Amino acid sequence: MIELEFFSRKANNEILIYQMIQFSPEDPWRLLLDGELLGSMEKSEGTWRQVSGTDFSPSFLRELAAFIDQQNFNHLPLALTSRWGNLIHKVIIKSDREYLVVCKADISFRSFEGIFSKFVSGLLKDEWSVTFQVFNHDFSDDFTVQAKPTVRQKNKTGWDQQLS
C-alpha cells in the first residue's frame, strides 16, 4: 500500500489535506478528504483519468497526477535498471517501501548481491527504509536487502560526510 498526502490551497487560502491511497500497483489511486472517499483515478497507457466519484476538475486531476508522477517510488525502478541494466531484468513496485527485483540470466548472482547491498542506499531519496527482495532469473535463489537512505551532512571543512 502507498499512502500520500496532497496539500491544496483553496481560493480563500484555506489549505486542504487530501489523502491518496493505492492498495496495490494494479489498483487505482483513491482520493480521500477527512476520511471521505471522493473518487479514484488511474493511469492507463500514460494518461491519467478519473474512474469513479465526484467529478474532479481537469486542473485538479492534472495536479493530482503530477504529484503522483513526481514521487520517488515511481523513479526508483528506472534508477535501478539504469545503474545495473546489464544485471537487472525487471523491477516491480509492491509499495513505496518494498520492491521485487529480478536479475538477468548468466550473471554472478552472489557478486551482484554484494554490489547491490553496498550501493542501493545511494539511490534512495525518501526518508524511510526500503526492502528489496532480489531474485535470480529463474527464482531459484534470492536475497533481501533492507536499505536505509544515505544522509549527507557538510562537516566544518565543507566536505560531505556520509551518516548512517
Side-chain angles (χ1 to χ4, degrees), residues 103-121:
C103 292
K104 292 183 177 181
D106 301 324
I107 69 164
S108 173
F109 190 65
R110 287 298 147 209
S111 293
F112 180 63
E113 179 179 7
I115 293 167
F116 187 84
S117 299
K118 184 174 181 179
F119 294 108
V120 72
S121 294

Side-chain angles (χ1 to χ4, degrees), residues 72 76 79-80 83-84 115-126 130 132 145-152 162-163:
N72 189 56
L76 189 54
L80 293 168
R83 175 94 181 247
W84 295 295
I115 293 167
F116 187 84
S117 299
K118 184 174 181 179
F119 294 108
V120 72
S121 294
L123 297 177
L124 301 181
K125 305 285 186 231
D126 294 314
V130 176
F132 296 94
V145 174
Q146 181 76 30
K148 296 180 181 176
T150 302
V151 178
R152 296 192 180 276
Q162 184 172 319
L163 304 175

